[in-house]
Amino acid sequence: MSSPLPPAVASRPSAILEARGLTKRFPGVVALRQVDFDLRPGEIHALCGENGAGKSTLIKLLAGIHPSGSYEGELRVDARAAAFRSVRDAEAAGIAVITQEFALVDALSVAENIFLGRLPRRGWRVDWLEMHRRAAALLADFGLAVDPEAPIHALGIGQKQLIEIVRAMDKQSRVLVLDEPTAALSDQEVGILLDHLRRLRAQGTACIYISHKLTEVLAIADRITVLRDGASVVTLARSAATIPGLIRHMVGREITEQFPRRPAPPAKPAPAEPLLAVRNLCVAPPASAGAFLRNLSFELRRGEVLGIGGLMGAGRTELLMHLFGAWGCRLSGDVVLQGRPYPHPSPRESIARGLVLASEDRRRYGLVLEQEIGFNLSLSSLRQFLRAPGRINQAAEHRRNQELFDSLQIKAPDQHARTSGLSGGNQQKVVLGKVLMIDPAVVLLDEPTRGIDVGAKQEVYALINRLTGEDRAVVLVSSELPELMGMSDRIIMLAEGARGGEFARPEFSPERLLAAAMHAAARAA
Amino acid sequence: MPIALIGICVFFALRESAFLGPRNLTQLFVEFSITGTLALGMFMILLSGQIDLSVGSGVGLIGGLAAVLVFHHGWPAPAAMLAAFAVALVLWTLMGGLIVVQRIPAFIITLGGLLIFKGLFWLVIRNSTVPVARGDADNLYSLLTTYYLPARAGHALALLVLAVLGVLAWRHRAARRAHGLPVPAAAVVTAIGLATAAGVLGLVEILNRFRGVPLSLVLLAATAGVVHFLTRHTPFGRYLYAIGGNEEAAALSGIPVNRVLVGAFVLMGVTVALTGFMTTAYSGASTTTVGDLMELDAIAACVIGGTALRGGRGSVGGVIFGALVMTALLNGMTLLAVAPETKFIARGVVLTLAVWLDVVFGTAKN
């Protein structure tokens, strides 16, 4: 899949950071293949790519999180080979990585966070006065009107982001790596952040900037490297880059017919009412007043697979979790399930009414890992096996478990094997089996093929076809565009919690879908 | 672990031949009934990943309440016990409710309970000694630990229990075979069955040489049967295991997590009341020290018996066994007149050792 680098962008010896032929393998997956990348002093170099293109893996190598020896290829800092065994080594070389999950301690003050691990001392005591003085000076340098003694949790996300940068700069970092720094920022905060980055650039700090927001990338980056399927596809100067061009590079791959979607036969007269109807849904995250999911409307009919796509953080998982009753607080809008309004969802009632969810994080939300396969399969359906007085008919339960165990072809000695010992694909089958035993009308599938092998994926696709063939309906969330396009009858792309676009099957194209996912960002520019 | 129990028994029997004598064994089994009953309640709490530190004080309070009603107010024993039992239900429902509704960790709520119940207890008995019966007359309360089944009834009960166990085992085996699951060889099953029968009948024989099978032991057996049924054969029990194993997954599986947790605390209240009556009756009177540290013995019994402190793993058999280890240890040390300070240390060492072994072997298994 790797494409040769265009000759125009061969690196110069002056590169501060250089990667040659990086290849990183995880069990069953090649996350990076022969990636070349270079960063010059005083430049902002953007990394773009779809979810799973390898951006995060690449910065984890640069940050020493994947230590040297766990990958192939060479890293050079100042033209000298570098072998980072840990994050400390990378920091010592002047590389600071700021991820979406801040490394800030909420209970401590701004100043304490800036100097965490390097608190100024006098003898064996912390020199509080010196610390606050230096913190105040640093903050003033950044033009930040923040009290160094304020607790960090009192700060907004944008300010926290800047505090992370202040901390990195105080560590004399020469390379700043920012992973989706603006994902949670308001437009105004984005402006402030970009100004700071430009100022740091002028002072000679180099920056690797990862963002899905292409308008932002074009506004700040000097050069842009696109990753796709773990390979570096192209490196462009800003002057040569356009949004449609970047999107083409990001998705440019052939889609083979590996998704055996069998659309439901349209012969039957379409039932008058949809299984699930969502109208103008607005949902706020827990403990927050502002809407995150905004004004979403859609309908789901029997025998249909509705695909939900979008970039990381677009609200796909939140939408499913909310419909199921496990996330967020509904501000407005209606949900109608099988013709009856469903104003106050809860997992228990959802299951009782035939709406089920197979979560993306099966180890956390799906399975009781230390229990047997059978225990997990029947966990949501024990009522089916009740016999007076409140006793489980274990023989009947065992029979039903065995049916699913066999029909899903779960690879384990028997249904009494512990779930923790199964492969990802087989664990996923247990989660799906549990959902099937409920006999649902609407199945919400969140990334049902994440982290499972090709064979198991095919079985999941077959299962989706079986479900819709039985007149049930499926909502499929997937980060993989080919999968989404291959398995959905209709796709809604989400962008920052709102609808970015809706497409019928004939209209599917990666470019269109991705453009819709970036719709909100593009419009803001 | 069974080796540890045998080791403890052999050690004490060698040091003091009376340890395995009918009189001491009878006493040991009464103490075992008390610790075991409380441990069974604690088992369901631990299974769901919670903890209850208040049960020691609660045992004192509930026992004391019933004693005061009988001795000072002249209530008939059954009425007094029923009233105290109702108080236990209310208190544990409240604690369970606070834990699930306010999302306050059980550790904190029940630590508060420990102190509050202790204070209430001392208020109720006015820091004095309150006998469980007036004068020398026996009542239902005092008989809890002083009534012994007549020899014949003991034998009959033992045979009945063995017959029921045999039928259950046979049906279980038949069901497994019907589902094509492996079953242990018939010879092995027969051997285990005969050994169990010999053990039970032998025990009854020894106990009969003193006064007979203590009523409290029958109560423990009944409690164990109920708890086993609840945890193994009802959705409630499944849910306990599921919540202890992965609470988030349990909630998303449609399990009424809050209701199940409150249920576990209510059942804890039931066993606290039972234990309170038995242990107070065993002392003959309610005094300020009744119930002291019993929460720790109950937790220790569970953990020694293989119950995971973080929840999701354990069995009734294990808990019963753990309670037997703890009781044998305490009883033996008392018999040898070991100094109280040494007793504390020995209990602590056994508990630590059990947890350590659990961690070592538990991680090895995974």
Side-chain angles (χ1 to χ4, degrees), chain B residues 216-243:
Chain B
S216 58
L217 189 57
V218 178
L219 287 177
L220 172 68
T223 311
V226 170
V227 174
H228 176 79
F229 175 79
L230 279 176
T231 52
R232 285 287 160 181
H233 295 278
T234 66
F236 171 75
R238 287 293 178 85
Y239 295 166
L240 286 179
Y241 280 93
I243 293 169

PDB file of all heavy atoms in Angstrom, chain B residues 216-243:
ATOM      1  N   SER B 216     -28.079 -23.843  66.738  1.00  0.00           N
ATOM      2  CA  SER B 216     -27.445 -22.791  65.946  1.00  0.00           C
ATOM      3  C   SER B 216     -26.801 -23.362  64.685  1.00  0.00           C
ATOM      4  O   SER B 216     -26.795 -22.727  63.637  1.00  0.00           O
ATOM      5  CB  SER B 216     -26.399 -22.052  66.784  1.00  0.00           C
ATOM      6  OG  SER B 216     -25.435 -22.957  67.256  1.00  0.00           O
ATOM      7  N   LEU B 217     -26.296 -24.601  64.798  1.00  0.00           N
ATOM      8  CA  LEU B 217     -25.672 -25.223  63.628  1.00  0.00           C
ATOM      9  C   LEU B 217     -26.729 -25.484  62.556  1.00  0.00           C
ATOM     10  O   LEU B 217     -26.481 -25.323  61.361  1.00  0.00           O
ATOM     11  CB  LEU B 217     -24.971 -26.514  64.036  1.00  0.00           C
ATOM     12  CG  LEU B 217     -24.089 -27.161  62.964  1.00  0.00           C
ATOM     13  CD1 LEU B 217     -23.026 -26.188  62.484  1.00  0.00           C
ATOM     14  CD2 LEU B 217     -23.444 -28.431  63.484  1.00  0.00           C
ATOM     15  N   VAL B 218     -27.918 -25.876  63.004  1.00  0.00           N
ATOM     16  CA  VAL B 218     -29.013 -26.098  62.059  1.00  0.00           C
ATOM     17  C   VAL B 218     -29.368 -24.780  61.369  1.00  0.00           C
ATOM     18  O   VAL B 218     -29.614 -24.730  60.155  1.00  0.00           O
ATOM     19  CB  VAL B 218     -30.238 -26.682  62.787  1.00  0.00           C
ATOM     20  CG1 VAL B 218     -31.391 -26.871  61.811  1.00  0.00           C
ATOM     21  CG2 VAL B 218     -29.872 -27.995  63.461  1.00  0.00           C
ATOM     22  N   LEU B 219     -29.390 -23.701  62.156  1.00  0.00           N
ATOM     23  CA  LEU B 219     -29.690 -22.384  61.577  1.00  0.00           C
ATOM     24  C   LEU B 219     -28.654 -22.008  60.523  1.00  0.00           C
ATOM     25  O   LEU B 219     -28.984 -21.498  59.459  1.00  0.00           O
ATOM     26  CB  LEU B 219     -29.723 -21.315  62.670  1.00  0.00           C
ATOM     27  CG  LEU B 219     -30.940 -21.339  63.598  1.00  0.00           C
ATOM     28  CD1 LEU B 219     -30.817 -20.290  64.683  1.00  0.00           C
ATOM     29  CD2 LEU B 219     -32.208 -21.120  62.781  1.00  0.00           C
ATOM     30  N   LEU B 220     -27.383 -22.253  60.857  1.00  0.00           N
ATOM     31  CA  LEU B 220     -26.325 -21.934  59.895  1.00  0.00           C
ATOM     32  C   LEU B 220     -26.521 -22.734  58.607  1.00  0.00           C
ATOM     33  O   LEU B 220     -26.430 -22.195  57.504  1.00  0.00           O
ATOM     34  CB  LEU B 220     -24.945 -22.237  60.478  1.00  0.00           C
ATOM     35  CG  LEU B 220     -23.800 -22.102  59.463  1.00  0.00           C
ATOM     36  CD1 LEU B 220     -23.612 -20.647  59.056  1.00  0.00           C
ATOM     37  CD2 LEU B 220     -22.503 -22.660  60.003  1.00  0.00           C
ATOM     38  N   ALA B 221     -26.809 -24.029  58.777  1.00  0.00           N
ATOM     39  CA  ALA B 221     -26.978 -24.874  57.591  1.00  0.00           C
ATOM     40  C   ALA B 221     -28.125 -24.358  56.732  1.00  0.00           C
ATOM     41  O   ALA B 221     -28.019 -24.282  55.499  1.00  0.00           O
ATOM     42  CB  ALA B 221     -27.221 -26.315  58.016  1.00  0.00           C
ATOM     43  N   ALA B 222     -29.213 -23.950  57.392  1.00  0.00           N
ATOM     44  CA  ALA B 222     -30.352 -23.441  56.640  1.00  0.00           C
ATOM     45  C   ALA B 222     -29.968 -22.150  55.916  1.00  0.00           C
ATOM     46  O   ALA B 222     -30.275 -21.961  54.724  1.00  0.00           O
ATOM     47  CB  ALA B 222     -31.524 -23.190  57.587  1.00  0.00           C
ATOM     48  N   THR B 223     -29.273 -21.250  56.624  1.00  0.00           N
ATOM     49  CA  THR B 223     -28.842 -19.992  55.999  1.00  0.00           C
ATOM     50  C   THR B 223     -27.953 -20.277  54.799  1.00  0.00           C
ATOM     51  O   THR B 223     -28.105 -19.675  53.727  1.00  0.00           O
ATOM     52  CB  THR B 223     -28.063 -19.132  57.020  1.00  0.00           C
ATOM     53  OG1 THR B 223     -28.815 -19.064  58.223  1.00  0.00           O
ATOM     54  CG2 THR B 223     -27.828 -17.736  56.479  1.00  0.00           C
ATOM     55  N   ALA B 224     -27.014 -21.211  54.995  1.00  0.00           N
ATOM     56  CA  ALA B 224     -26.094 -21.535  53.900  1.00  0.00           C
ATOM     57  C   ALA B 224     -26.864 -22.056  52.696  1.00  0.00           C
ATOM     58  O   ALA B 224     -26.588 -21.682  51.551  1.00  0.00           O
ATOM     59  CB  ALA B 224     -25.062 -22.553  54.372  1.00  0.00           C
ATOM     60  N   GLY B 225     -27.868 -22.898  52.980  1.00  0.00           N
ATOM     61  CA  GLY B 225     -28.669 -23.430  51.872  1.00  0.00           C
ATOM     62  C   GLY B 225     -29.370 -22.318  51.119  1.00  0.00           C
ATOM     63  O   GLY B 225     -29.355 -22.271  49.888  1.00  0.00           O
ATOM     64  N   VAL B 226     -29.963 -21.386  51.875  1.00  0.00           N
ATOM     65  CA  VAL B 226     -30.681 -20.283  51.239  1.00  0.00           C
ATOM     66  C   VAL B 226     -29.720 -19.417  50.423  1.00  0.00           C
ATOM     67  O   VAL B 226     -30.002 -19.062  49.273  1.00  0.00           O
ATOM     68  CB  VAL B 226     -31.407 -19.423  52.307  1.00  0.00           C
ATOM     69  CG1 VAL B 226     -31.935 -18.143  51.687  1.00  0.00           C
ATOM     70  CG2 VAL B 226     -32.527 -20.229  52.934  1.00  0.00           C
ATOM     71  N   VAL B 227     -28.581 -19.073  51.012  1.00  0.00           N
ATOM     72  CA  VAL B 227     -27.640 -18.206  50.305  1.00  0.00           C
ATOM     73  C   VAL B 227     -27.093 -18.907  49.061  1.00  0.00           C
ATOM     74  O   VAL B 227     -26.926 -18.291  48.011  1.00  0.00           O
ATOM     75  CB  VAL B 227     -26.490 -17.758  51.244  1.00  0.00           C
ATOM     76  CG1 VAL B 227     -25.433 -16.980  50.477  1.00  0.00           C
ATOM     77  CG2 VAL B 227     -27.049 -16.913  52.374  1.00  0.00           C
ATOM     78  N   HIS B 228     -26.858 -20.201  49.192  1.00  0.00           N
ATOM     79  CA  HIS B 228     -26.384 -20.941  48.025  1.00  0.00           C
ATOM     80  C   HIS B 228     -27.434 -20.891  46.911  1.00  0.00           C
ATOM     81  O   HIS B 228     -27.122 -20.620  45.754  1.00  0.00           O
ATOM     82  CB  HIS B 228     -26.091 -22.393  48.393  1.00  0.00           C
ATOM     83  CG  HIS B 228     -25.685 -23.224  47.221  1.00  0.00           C
ATOM     84  ND1 HIS B 228     -24.404 -23.183  46.706  1.00  0.00           N
ATOM     85  CD2 HIS B 228     -26.374 -24.080  46.434  1.00  0.00           C
ATOM     86  CE1 HIS B 228     -24.342 -23.988  45.659  1.00  0.00           C
ATOM     87  NE2 HIS B 228     -25.522 -24.540  45.467  1.00  0.00           N
ATOM     88  N   PHE B 229     -28.681 -21.127  47.290  1.00  0.00           N
ATOM     89  CA  PHE B 229     -29.759 -21.079  46.290  1.00  0.00           C
ATOM     90  C   PHE B 229     -29.829 -19.699  45.644  1.00  0.00           C
ATOM     91  O   PHE B 229     -29.881 -19.562  44.416  1.00  0.00           O
ATOM     92  CB  PHE B 229     -31.093 -21.432  46.951  1.00  0.00           C
ATOM     93  CG  PHE B 229     -32.263 -21.284  46.033  1.00  0.00           C
ATOM     94  CD1 PHE B 229     -32.548 -22.265  45.088  1.00  0.00           C
ATOM     95  CD2 PHE B 229     -33.071 -20.162  46.084  1.00  0.00           C
ATOM     96  CE1 PHE B 229     -33.616 -22.130  44.221  1.00  0.00           C
ATOM     97  CE2 PHE B 229     -34.146 -20.021  45.223  1.00  0.00           C
ATOM     98  CZ  PHE B 229     -34.415 -21.000  44.291  1.00  0.00           C
ATOM     99  N   LEU B 230     -29.785 -18.665  46.490  1.00  0.00           N
ATOM    100  CA  LEU B 230     -29.879 -17.298  45.963  1.00  0.00           C
ATOM    101  C   LEU B 230     -28.750 -16.992  44.994  1.00  0.00           C
ATOM    102  O   LEU B 230     -28.959 -16.433  43.917  1.00  0.00           O
ATOM    103  CB  LEU B 230     -29.833 -16.284  47.118  1.00  0.00           C
ATOM    104  CG  LEU B 230     -31.125 -16.044  47.882  1.00  0.00           C
ATOM    105  CD1 LEU B 230     -30.870 -15.100  49.045  1.00  0.00           C
ATOM    106  CD2 LEU B 230     -32.174 -15.454  46.946  1.00  0.00           C
ATOM    107  N   THR B 231     -27.520 -17.335  45.387  1.00  0.00           N
ATOM    108  CA  THR B 231     -26.383 -16.915  44.566  1.00  0.00           C
ATOM    109  C   THR B 231     -26.223 -17.779  43.323  1.00  0.00           C
ATOM    110  O   THR B 231     -25.710 -17.311  42.317  1.00  0.00           O
ATOM    111  CB  THR B 231     -25.072 -16.931  45.372  1.00  0.00           C
ATOM    112  OG1 THR B 231     -24.938 -18.205  45.996  1.00  0.00           O
ATOM    113  CG2 THR B 231     -25.068 -15.840  46.416  1.00  0.00           C
ATOM    114  N   ARG B 232     -26.662 -19.018  43.392  1.00  0.00           N
ATOM    115  CA  ARG B 232     -26.403 -19.912  42.252  1.00  0.00           C
ATOM    116  C   ARG B 232     -27.608 -20.128  41.349  1.00  0.00           C
ATOM    117  O   ARG B 232     -27.450 -20.493  40.200  1.00  0.00           O
ATOM    118  CB  ARG B 232     -25.949 -21.284  42.767  1.00  0.00           C
ATOM    119  CG  ARG B 232     -24.547 -21.300  43.276  1.00  0.00           C
ATOM    120  CD  ARG B 232     -23.551 -21.217  42.145  1.00  0.00           C
ATOM    121  NE  ARG B 232     -22.282 -20.762  42.686  1.00  0.00           N
ATOM    122  CZ  ARG B 232     -21.192 -20.567  41.962  1.00  0.00           C
ATOM    123  NH1 ARG B 232     -21.216 -20.785  40.672  1.00  0.00           N
ATOM    124  NH2 ARG B 232     -20.092 -20.149  42.510  1.00  0.00           N
ATOM    125  N   HIS B 233     -28.802 -19.946  41.889  1.00  0.00           N
ATOM    126  CA  HIS B 233     -29.964 -20.388  41.115  1.00  0.00           C
ATOM    127  C   HIS B 233     -30.966 -19.291  40.815  1.00  0.00           C
ATOM    128  O   HIS B 233     -32.015 -19.561  40.273  1.00  0.00           O
ATOM    129  CB  HIS B 233     -30.669 -21.541  41.841  1.00  0.00           C
ATOM    130  CG  HIS B 233     -29.818 -22.773  41.937  1.00  0.00           C
ATOM    131  ND1 HIS B 233     -29.705 -23.675  40.908  1.00  0.00           N
ATOM    132  CD2 HIS B 233     -29.003 -23.222  42.915  1.00  0.00           C
ATOM    133  CE1 HIS B 233     -28.861 -24.646  41.256  1.00  0.00           C
ATOM    134  NE2 HIS B 233     -28.425 -24.385  42.466  1.00  0.00           N
ATOM    135  N   THR B 234     -30.666 -18.062  41.195  1.00  0.00           N
ATOM    136  CA  THR B 234     -31.629 -16.991  40.913  1.00  0.00           C
ATOM    137  C   THR B 234     -30.945 -15.880  40.120  1.00  0.00           C
ATOM    138  O   THR B 234     -29.719 -15.725  40.184  1.00  0.00           O
ATOM    139  CB  THR B 234     -32.184 -16.361  42.207  1.00  0.00           C
ATOM    140  OG1 THR B 234     -31.109 -15.685  42.870  1.00  0.00           O
ATOM    141  CG2 THR B 234     -32.766 -17.397  43.131  1.00  0.00           C
ATOM    142  N   PRO B 235     -31.727 -15.105  39.380  1.00  0.00           N
ATOM    143  CA  PRO B 235     -31.156 -13.947  38.688  1.00  0.00           C
ATOM    144  C   PRO B 235     -30.451 -13.002  39.656  1.00  0.00           C
ATOM    145  O   PRO B 235     -29.395 -12.465  39.347  1.00  0.00           O
ATOM    146  CB  PRO B 235     -32.382 -13.280  38.062  1.00  0.00           C
ATOM    147  CG  PRO B 235     -33.364 -14.382  37.883  1.00  0.00           C
ATOM    148  CD  PRO B 235     -33.147 -15.298  39.050  1.00  0.00           C
ATOM    149  N   PHE B 236     -31.037 -12.837  40.869  1.00  0.00           N
ATOM    150  CA  PHE B 236     -30.407 -11.959  41.854  1.00  0.00           C
ATOM    151  C   PHE B 236     -28.938 -12.334  42.074  1.00  0.00           C
ATOM    152  O   PHE B 236     -28.048 -11.487  42.062  1.00  0.00           O
ATOM    153  CB  PHE B 236     -31.185 -12.042  43.173  1.00  0.00           C
ATOM    154  CG  PHE B 236     -30.520 -11.363  44.330  1.00  0.00           C
ATOM    155  CD1 PHE B 236     -30.528  -9.981  44.433  1.00  0.00           C
ATOM    156  CD2 PHE B 236     -29.861 -12.104  45.304  1.00  0.00           C
ATOM    157  CE1 PHE B 236     -29.918  -9.353  45.504  1.00  0.00           C
ATOM    158  CE2 PHE B 236     -29.240 -11.482  46.373  1.00  0.00           C
ATOM    159  CZ  PHE B 236     -29.264 -10.108  46.472  1.00  0.00           C
ATOM    160  N   GLY B 237     -28.692 -13.638  42.230  1.00  0.00           N
ATOM    161  CA  GLY B 237     -27.321 -14.080  42.465  1.00  0.00           C
ATOM    162  C   GLY B 237     -26.426 -13.830  41.254  1.00  0.00           C
ATOM    163  O   GLY B 237     -25.301 -13.357  41.379  1.00  0.00           O
ATOM    164  N   ARG B 238     -26.954 -14.145  40.069  1.00  0.00           N
ATOM    165  CA  ARG B 238     -26.188 -13.875  38.849  1.00  0.00           C
ATOM    166  C   ARG B 238     -25.793 -12.411  38.795  1.00  0.00           C
ATOM    167  O   ARG B 238     -24.681 -12.051  38.424  1.00  0.00           O
ATOM    168  CB  ARG B 238     -27.024 -14.165  37.620  1.00  0.00           C
ATOM    169  CG  ARG B 238     -27.254 -15.595  37.335  1.00  0.00           C
ATOM    170  CD  ARG B 238     -25.968 -16.281  36.945  1.00  0.00           C
ATOM    171  NE  ARG B 238     -26.274 -17.678  36.732  1.00  0.00           N
ATOM    172  CZ  ARG B 238     -26.724 -18.131  35.577  1.00  0.00           C
ATOM    173  NH1 ARG B 238     -26.835 -17.327  34.554  1.00  0.00           N
ATOM    174  NH2 ARG B 238     -27.036 -19.388  35.450  1.00  0.00           N
ATOM    175  N   TYR B 239     -26.787 -11.565  39.135  1.00  0.00           N
ATOM    176  CA  TYR B 239     -26.539 -10.134  39.049  1.00  0.00           C
ATOM    177  C   TYR B 239     -25.459  -9.701  40.045  1.00  0.00           C
ATOM    178  O   TYR B 239     -24.656  -8.822  39.746  1.00  0.00           O
ATOM    179  CB  TYR B 239     -27.839  -9.356  39.300  1.00  0.00           C
ATOM    180  CG  TYR B 239     -28.898  -9.579  38.230  1.00  0.00           C
ATOM    181  CD1 TYR B 239     -30.213  -9.210  38.423  1.00  0.00           C
ATOM    182  CD2 TYR B 239     -28.561 -10.166  37.009  1.00  0.00           C
ATOM    183  CE1 TYR B 239     -31.182  -9.409  37.445  1.00  0.00           C
ATOM    184  CE2 TYR B 239     -29.520 -10.380  36.031  1.00  0.00           C
ATOM    185  CZ  TYR B 239     -30.824 -10.004  36.244  1.00  0.00           C
ATOM    186  OH  TYR B 239     -31.776 -10.210  35.284  1.00  0.00           O
ATOM    187  N   LEU B 240     -25.440 -10.348  41.219  1.00  0.00           N
ATOM    188  CA  LEU B 240     -24.385 -10.020  42.182  1.00  0.00           C
ATOM    189  C   LEU B 240     -23.015 -10.285  41.556  1.00  0.00           C
ATOM    190  O   LEU B 240     -22.105  -9.455  41.624  1.00  0.00           O
ATOM    191  CB  LEU B 240     -24.523 -10.848  43.455  1.00  0.00           C
ATOM    192  CG  LEU B 240     -25.645 -10.500  44.427  1.00  0.00           C
ATOM    193  CD1 LEU B 240     -25.607 -11.476  45.599  1.00  0.00           C
ATOM    194  CD2 LEU B 240     -25.488  -9.080  44.941  1.00  0.00           C
ATOM    195  N   TYR B 241     -22.882 -11.468  40.950  1.00  0.00           N
ATOM    196  CA  TYR B 241     -21.604 -11.806  40.319  1.00  0.00           C
ATOM    197  C   TYR B 241     -21.288 -10.814  39.188  1.00  0.00           C
ATOM    198  O   TYR B 241     -20.156 -10.376  39.027  1.00  0.00           O
ATOM    199  CB  TYR B 241     -21.634 -13.223  39.746  1.00  0.00           C
ATOM    200  CG  TYR B 241     -21.418 -14.321  40.765  1.00  0.00           C
ATOM    201  CD1 TYR B 241     -22.496 -14.936  41.386  1.00  0.00           C
ATOM    202  CD2 TYR B 241     -20.135 -14.743  41.096  1.00  0.00           C
ATOM    203  CE1 TYR B 241     -22.302 -15.947  42.313  1.00  0.00           C
ATOM    204  CE2 TYR B 241     -19.932 -15.754  42.012  1.00  0.00           C
ATOM    205  CZ  TYR B 241     -21.024 -16.354  42.629  1.00  0.00           C
ATOM    206  OH  TYR B 241     -20.825 -17.348  43.536  1.00  0.00           O
ATOM    207  N   ALA B 242     -22.304 -10.471  38.407  1.00  0.00           N
ATOM    208  CA  ALA B 242     -22.075  -9.584  37.258  1.00  0.00           C
ATOM    209  C   ALA B 242     -21.675  -8.189  37.714  1.00  0.00           C
ATOM    210  O   ALA B 242     -20.758  -7.579  37.171  1.00  0.00           O
ATOM    211  CB  ALA B 242     -23.329  -9.520  36.393  1.00  0.00           C
ATOM    212  N   ILE B 243     -22.365  -7.678  38.742  1.00  0.00           N
ATOM    213  CA  ILE B 243     -22.055  -6.330  39.223  1.00  0.00           C
ATOM    214  C   ILE B 243     -20.651  -6.308  39.802  1.00  0.00           C
ATOM    215  O   ILE B 243     -19.869  -5.385  39.564  1.00  0.00           O
ATOM    216  CB  ILE B 243     -23.093  -5.871  40.262  1.00  0.00           C
ATOM    217  CG1 ILE B 243     -24.453  -5.701  39.597  1.00  0.00           C
ATOM    218  CG2 ILE B 243     -22.672  -4.575  40.933  1.00  0.00           C
ATOM    219  CD1 ILE B 243     -25.600  -5.514  40.574  1.00  0.00           C
TER     220      ILE B 243
END
